[in-house]
Amino acid sequence: MSALLAVEGLGKDFTLHLQGGVTLAVLRGVSFTLHAGECVALTGPSGAGKSTLMRCLQGNYGADAGRILVRHRGAMVDLAAADARAVREVRAETLGYVSQFLRAIPRVPAIELVMAEGVGREEARGLLLRLNLPERLHGLPPATFSGGEQQRVNLARGFARPRPLMLLDEPTASLDAANRAVVVQLIHEAKARGCGIIGIFHDAGVRDAVADRLFPVLPLEATEAA
Amino acid sequence: MSALLEADALHLRFGAVRALDDVAVSIWPGEVVAIVGESGSGKSTLLRVLSGQVAPDAGGVRYAGAEVHALGEAQRRRLMCTDWGYVHQNARDGLRMGVSAGGNIGERLMAAGTRHYGAIRDAAAEWMVKVELDPARMDDRPGMFSGGMQQRLQIARCLVTQPKLVFMDEPTGGLDVSVQARLLDLLRRLVGELGLAAFFLTHDIAAARLLAHRILVMRHGRVVEEGLADRVLDDPRHPYTQLLVSSVLAA
């Protein structure tokens, strides 16, 4: 079966013009594939570039080398070369992203953030309740919520209409054990529907419960020495 | 689908100043494009050239197959009151201060061809509600409204004819921060509901992130960087964009 995602020779640098133009090389020659129903966990020490890789895959960071081929509408689209409109289209239909931080929009209540994903009020309510977000919070804008509450709104939004390819950046970072279990269940359900998932899971228990494979992201010095 | 408006190789000099130096821009239906840059970067000039108010020295602007700067004055006015809308930074420039709030909204509908008085009044009331103004104040003149309310009234006047493309020149400039947030949220909602394409000038990075799909960064009359809004802000490449993004104070 053909891949949902094929990353080929991905490279990413940051040139800091305000710091004398120093260039930091973060990713070099990253290659892997992901198939339907599979969950790959990115591992590696802090600062190795896991989140950078994730942001490149989402199109939030531009890749400097290589290709990011995503199966979109039956064809492989290279996100590394796609223009802004194409990236938006891939994100809308194919590529979901749940980060650990919610970018709150002023005045928009939690439930409407979830409904904006294209689900009805009842479904949105059900998902928020499943993630243990009390009903009295549903009608409030999440700007004043705690970190864990905001993250659960974010998760509800991400899983309301799961895309075929999901990127999860520390989805359980500020959650307690009960809520972590809900997230593990949501991931299993998404995989059973054929979603491919790439995740950074700080919590080893969650990682072991959901990941089929580990993909180590190593700091560049280590890669070069090897 | 194709671009709604396209401009390329725009050049314009004011004496020794290159206000526009080889600028190319396009916008697609439903797309919000923020143009950011400091004062003097050429962004206001660009907006005036794109909307047909100022002719470039070289280069062209095409809208729906027509060369905007080749249109006669009457055709351009027609475009301005049917297909396009223009939101000025200062609401007083976009409103008729001697005419009631309802009249300001209705007038544009009449200019676009609506004749039935009741329908016009109904539409004016409906739009006052949409921009969160009390329709009971329909007969008040804009001068009796606060700055933020005047700006919302201007937006209602602009959108009542359901334009396809809106030009917004720093619509939140000069307003209190709390008023800005409300206006931005309102714009975000309306743009989404109506599927508008909009050019949005701002020097407010957070506003650009909230509203825009795509960002153009201008400096010295040139587009120094452009792309997906979140990518330009989170992975800026050009030294000037890096400076702009790093200069924002996180609240």
Side-chain angles (χ1 to χ4, degrees):
Chain A
M1 193 172 153
S2 69
L4 280 183
L5 171 74
V7 179
E8 301 175 353
L10 180 67
K12 175 66 189 163
D13 295 334
F14 292 97
T15 301
L16 309 177
H17 292 287
L18 307 181
Q19 276 78 38
V22 60
T23 294
L24 305 176
V26 180
L27 302 173
R28 280 285 177 279
V30 174
S31 300
F32 65 94
T33 55
L34 180 78
H35 291 88
E38 193 181 28
C39 176
V40 171
L42 306 181
T43 61
S46 173
K50 299 186 295 292
S51 286
T52 296
L53 172 55
M54 203 69 127
R55 283 168 175 259
C56 287
L57 298 180
Q58 203 244 349
N60 178 232
Y61 286 175
D64 293 302
R67 303 200 295 171
I68 300 168
L69 300 169
V70 175
R71 193 163 73 205
H72 173 68
R73 293 185 180 175
M76 297 310 273
V77 173
D78 181 6
L79 268 194
D83 68 14
R85 276 181 292 274
V87 174
R88 279 176 55 212
E89 187 191 288
V90 169
R91 283 180 183 175
E93 294 175 23
T94 302
L95 179 64
Y97 179 65
V98 180
S99 73
Q100 46 179 318
F101 303 108
L102 178 74
R103 203 174 273 286
I105 299 168
R107 298 205 305 168
V108 181
I111 193 157
E112 284 180 23
L113 283 173
V114 181
M115 289 165 63
E117 289 297 319
V119 297
R121 186 167 290 273
E122 266 315 296
E123 205 174 329
R125 178 177 167 271
L127 203 48
L128 288 171
L129 288 176
R130 192 172 165 195
L131 284 154
N132 301 308
L133 194 80
E135 189 135 29
R136 64 189 160 79
L137 296 181
H138 293 189
L140 301 176
T144 55
F145 291 8
S146 75
E149 287 163 349
Q150 293 196 1
Q151 186 163 29
R152 281 177 275 150
V153 175
N154 230 2
L155 283 159
R157 200 157 62 147
F159 282 95
R161 191 169 59 86
R163 307 328 193 248
L165 178 57
M166 302 265 291
L167 307 173
L168 309 177
D169 191 349
E170 305 230 19
T172 58
S174 8
L175 302 187
D176 59 22
N179 283 310
R180 282 201 298 273
V182 177
V183 175
V184 166
Q185 235 175 24
L186 285 169
I187 293 173
H188 280 307
E189 288 168 19
K191 284 169 66 180
R193 278 192 304 265
C195 280
I197 293 172
I198 297 180
I200 300 172
F201 304 102
H202 188 69
D203 184 286
V206 172
R207 184 173 63 219
D208 294 344
V210 299
D212 300 292
R213 271 193 296 140
L214 304 181
F215 181 79
V217 180
L218 298 173
L220 228 40
E221 313 82 74
T223 320
E224 277 158 6
Chain B
M1 207 158 86
S2 60
L4 194 59
L5 179 141
E6 258 179 315
D8 49 42
L10 294 175
H11 289 267
L12 181 61
R13 297 181 78 114
F14 296 129
V17 178
R18 289 174 191 273
L20 295 179
D21 186 6
D22 198 21
V23 172
V25 180
S26 67
I27 193 165
W28 290 54
E31 193 178 35
V32 179
V33 177
I35 304 173
V36 304
E38 61 205 1
S39 322
S41 62
K43 60 187 197 299
S44 297
T45 303
L46 177 60
L47 203 69
R48 284 200 286 272
V49 168
L50 294 177
S51 58
Q53 300 173 61
V54 173
D57 295 336
V61 181
R62 283 169 307 284
Y63 175 79
E67 185 60 51
V68 170
H69 291 282
L71 295 176
E73 184 57 21
Q75 286 169 300
R76 202 180 66 78
R77 274 180 186 282
R78 179 87 203 137
L79 203 57
M80 262 298 180
C81 68
T82 55
D83 279 35
W84 291 0
Y86 200 100
V87 177
H88 296 264
Q89 175 174 0
N90 187 339
R92 289 167 171 270
D93 296 334
L95 291 172
R96 291 226 292 146
M97 300 306 283
V99 174
S100 70
N104 263 286
I105 301 173
E107 191 177 58
R108 218 173 111 88
L109 268 183
M110 283 165 68
T114 308
R115 286 289 171 263
H116 187 271
Y117 178 76
I120 290 170
R121 213 170 151 83
D122 288 349
E126 186 190 325
W127 269 93
M128 287 189 75
V129 173
K130 278 191 190 172
V131 298
E132 302 169 14
L133 293 172
D134 181 358
R137 297 193 59 184
M138 188 186 272
D139 298 318
D140 289 355
R141 292 191 179 180
M144 298 168 70
F145 291 172
S146 70
M149 289 164 76
Q150 287 181 12
Q151 197 55 292
R152 297 205 298 277
L153 180 61
Q154 188 193 189
I155 287 163
R157 174 182 163 99
C158 172
L159 298 185
V160 65
T161 53
Q162 307 200 346
K164 293 190 180 75
L165 175 61
V166 178
F167 301 90
M168 294 191 274
D169 184 359
E170 308 233 16
T172 61
L175 298 176
D176 290 341
V177 177
S178 61
V179 178
Q180 277 184 23
R182 180 173 186 186
L183 191 71
L184 281 172
D185 180 51
L186 179 77
L187 283 172
R188 192 189 60 84
R189 193 163 49 71
L190 289 174
V191 161
E193 279 172 10
L194 302 171
L196 293 176
F199 284 111
F200 168 62
L201 296 195
T202 185
H203 51 249
D204 180 346
I205 300 285
R209 189 192 284 276
L210 186 69
L211 275 185
H213 300 124
R214 201 146 56 82
I215 292 178
L216 260 65
V217 182
M218 286 196 75
R219 191 176 201 211
H220 301 328
R222 299 186 72 96
V223 175
V224 296
E225 183 157 1
E226 72 171 297
L228 199 63
D230 60 280
R231 189 184 299 179
V232 169
L233 299 179
D234 292 337
D235 186 16
R237 304 289 176 117
H238 190 275
Y240 178 66
T241 316
Q242 293 189 355
L243 178 66
L244 209 61
V245 170
S246 69
S247 306
V248 177
L249 296 174

Short mmCIF file of all heavy atoms in Angstrom, two decimals, chain A residues 11 14 43 50 63 74 77 82 84 87-88 106 116-117 128 137 148 157 177 189-191 199 224:
data_model
loop_
_atom_site.label_atom_id
_atom_site.label_comp_id
_atom_site.label_asym_id
_atom_site.label_seq_id
_atom_site.Cartn_x
_atom_site.Cartn_y
_atom_site.Cartn_z
N GLY A 11 15.84 18.83 5.01
CA GLY A 11 16.83 19.65 5.71
C GLY A 11 16.23 20.96 6.14
O GLY A 11 15.37 21.52 5.46
N PHE A 14 18.22 27.50 10.21
CA PHE A 14 17.73 28.83 10.58
C PHE A 14 18.87 29.81 10.44
O PHE A 14 19.94 29.60 11.03
CB PHE A 14 17.22 28.85 12.02
CG PHE A 14 15.97 28.04 12.23
CD1 PHE A 14 16.05 26.75 12.71
CD2 PHE A 14 14.73 28.58 11.93
CE1 PHE A 14 14.91 25.99 12.91
CE2 PHE A 14 13.58 27.83 12.12
CZ PHE A 14 13.67 26.53 12.60
N THR A 43 11.36 10.46 18.65
CA THR A 43 12.07 10.44 19.93
C THR A 43 13.41 11.14 19.76
O THR A 43 13.85 11.39 18.65
CB THR A 43 12.33 9.00 20.40
OG1 THR A 43 13.14 8.36 19.41
CG2 THR A 43 11.04 8.22 20.56
N LYS A 50 12.88 17.71 17.15
CA LYS A 50 11.60 17.01 16.96
C LYS A 50 10.48 17.98 16.59
O LYS A 50 9.73 17.76 15.64
CB LYS A 50 11.19 16.27 18.25
CG LYS A 50 12.17 15.21 18.71
CD LYS A 50 11.63 14.42 19.90
CE LYS A 50 11.45 15.23 21.18
NZ LYS A 50 12.72 15.69 21.79
N ALA A 63 10.83 24.13 4.54
CA ALA A 63 11.97 23.21 4.45
C ALA A 63 13.02 23.82 3.53
O ALA A 63 12.69 24.53 2.59
CB ALA A 63 11.51 21.87 3.91
N GLY A 74 -5.74 11.81 -3.40
CA GLY A 74 -5.30 10.69 -4.23
C GLY A 74 -3.95 10.86 -4.92
O GLY A 74 -3.47 9.94 -5.56
N VAL A 77 1.45 15.29 -2.96
CA VAL A 77 1.74 16.72 -3.07
C VAL A 77 3.00 16.99 -2.25
O VAL A 77 3.11 16.53 -1.12
CB VAL A 77 0.57 17.56 -2.50
CG1 VAL A 77 0.92 19.04 -2.45
CG2 VAL A 77 -0.70 17.33 -3.29
N ALA A 82 5.07 23.46 -2.05
CA ALA A 82 3.71 23.95 -2.32
C ALA A 82 3.57 25.43 -1.97
O ALA A 82 4.22 25.91 -1.04
CB ALA A 82 2.70 23.13 -1.52
N ALA A 84 1.27 28.90 -0.75
CA ALA A 84 0.45 29.11 0.44
C ALA A 84 -0.96 28.53 0.28
O ALA A 84 -1.50 27.92 1.20
CB ALA A 84 0.38 30.60 0.76
N VAL A 87 -0.89 24.73 0.57
CA VAL A 87 -0.68 24.28 1.96
C VAL A 87 -1.99 24.40 2.74
O VAL A 87 -2.37 23.50 3.49
CB VAL A 87 0.45 25.09 2.65
CG1 VAL A 87 0.55 24.71 4.13
CG2 VAL A 87 1.78 24.86 1.96
N ARG A 88 -2.70 25.51 2.55
CA ARG A 88 -3.98 25.69 3.26
C ARG A 88 -4.97 24.60 2.89
O ARG A 88 -5.70 24.10 3.73
CB ARG A 88 -4.57 27.07 2.94
CG ARG A 88 -3.97 28.18 3.76
CD ARG A 88 -4.53 29.52 3.33
NE ARG A 88 -5.98 29.53 3.38
CZ ARG A 88 -6.76 30.23 2.54
NH1 ARG A 88 -6.22 30.94 1.59
NH2 ARG A 88 -8.06 30.19 2.68
N PRO A 106 -9.93 35.99 20.52
CA PRO A 106 -10.76 36.74 21.45
C PRO A 106 -12.25 36.47 21.22
O PRO A 106 -12.68 36.40 20.08
CB PRO A 106 -10.43 38.21 21.11
CG PRO A 106 -9.22 38.19 20.26
CD PRO A 106 -9.05 36.82 19.72
N ALA A 116 -16.17 24.97 14.63
CA ALA A 116 -15.55 25.56 13.43
C ALA A 116 -14.86 24.50 12.59
O ALA A 116 -14.54 24.72 11.42
CB ALA A 116 -14.56 26.65 13.83
N GLU A 117 -14.64 23.31 13.19
CA GLU A 117 -14.05 22.22 12.42
C GLU A 117 -15.09 21.52 11.55
O GLU A 117 -14.79 20.56 10.86
CB GLU A 117 -13.42 21.19 13.37
CG GLU A 117 -12.16 21.69 14.04
CD GLU A 117 -11.05 21.97 13.03
OE1 GLU A 117 -10.89 21.18 12.08
OE2 GLU A 117 -10.37 23.00 13.18
N LEU A 128 -16.09 17.48 23.94
CA LEU A 128 -15.56 18.26 25.07
C LEU A 128 -15.86 17.54 26.39
O LEU A 128 -15.01 17.49 27.29
CB LEU A 128 -16.16 19.68 25.08
CG LEU A 128 -15.65 20.62 23.98
CD1 LEU A 128 -16.46 21.90 23.94
CD2 LEU A 128 -14.16 20.94 24.19
N LEU A 137 -18.00 25.44 31.03
CA LEU A 137 -16.91 26.13 30.33
C LEU A 137 -17.13 26.20 28.81
O LEU A 137 -16.48 26.97 28.12
CB LEU A 137 -15.56 25.44 30.60
CG LEU A 137 -15.05 25.44 32.04
CD1 LEU A 137 -13.69 24.74 32.13
CD2 LEU A 137 -14.95 26.85 32.59
N GLY A 148 -4.23 22.88 31.01
CA GLY A 148 -4.80 21.58 30.70
C GLY A 148 -6.16 21.71 30.01
O GLY A 148 -6.48 20.96 29.09
N ARG A 157 -10.77 19.97 19.20
CA ARG A 157 -10.76 20.58 17.88
C ARG A 157 -10.02 19.68 16.88
O ARG A 157 -10.48 19.47 15.77
CB ARG A 157 -10.06 21.94 17.98
CG ARG A 157 -10.37 22.86 16.87
CD ARG A 157 -10.14 24.27 17.30
NE ARG A 157 -8.74 24.47 17.66
CZ ARG A 157 -8.11 25.63 17.46
NH1 ARG A 157 -8.74 26.63 16.92
NH2 ARG A 157 -6.87 25.78 17.83
N ALA A 177 -3.84 11.77 34.48
CA ALA A 177 -3.89 10.39 33.99
C ALA A 177 -5.21 10.06 33.31
O ALA A 177 -5.24 9.40 32.25
CB ALA A 177 -3.64 9.43 35.16
N GLU A 189 -8.75 5.08 18.15
CA GLU A 189 -9.91 5.15 17.26
C GLU A 189 -9.52 5.73 15.90
O GLU A 189 -9.96 5.25 14.86
CB GLU A 189 -11.02 6.01 17.89
CG GLU A 189 -11.70 5.32 19.06
CD GLU A 189 -12.59 6.27 19.88
OE1 GLU A 189 -12.95 7.34 19.34
OE2 GLU A 189 -12.89 5.94 21.04
N ALA A 190 -8.68 6.78 15.94
CA ALA A 190 -8.26 7.41 14.68
C ALA A 190 -7.45 6.41 13.85
O ALA A 190 -7.67 6.29 12.64
CB ALA A 190 -7.44 8.67 14.97
N LYS A 191 -6.56 5.66 14.51
CA LYS A 191 -5.75 4.67 13.80
C LYS A 191 -6.65 3.59 13.19
O LYS A 191 -6.44 3.17 12.05
CB LYS A 191 -4.75 4.01 14.74
CG LYS A 191 -3.56 4.88 15.06
CD LYS A 191 -2.72 4.29 16.21
CE LYS A 191 -2.07 2.97 15.82
NZ LYS A 191 -1.27 2.44 16.95
N GLY A 199 3.68 11.61 16.19
CA GLY A 199 3.53 12.29 17.46
C GLY A 199 4.85 12.49 18.18
O GLY A 199 5.81 11.74 17.98
N GLU A 224 26.30 13.63 12.58
CA GLU A 224 27.50 13.78 11.78
C GLU A 224 28.62 12.86 12.29
O GLU A 224 29.41 12.34 11.50
CB GLU A 224 27.97 15.26 11.79
CG GLU A 224 27.20 16.04 10.75
CD GLU A 224 27.18 17.54 11.00
OE1 GLU A 224 27.85 17.99 11.95
OE2 GLU A 224 26.48 18.24 10.26
#
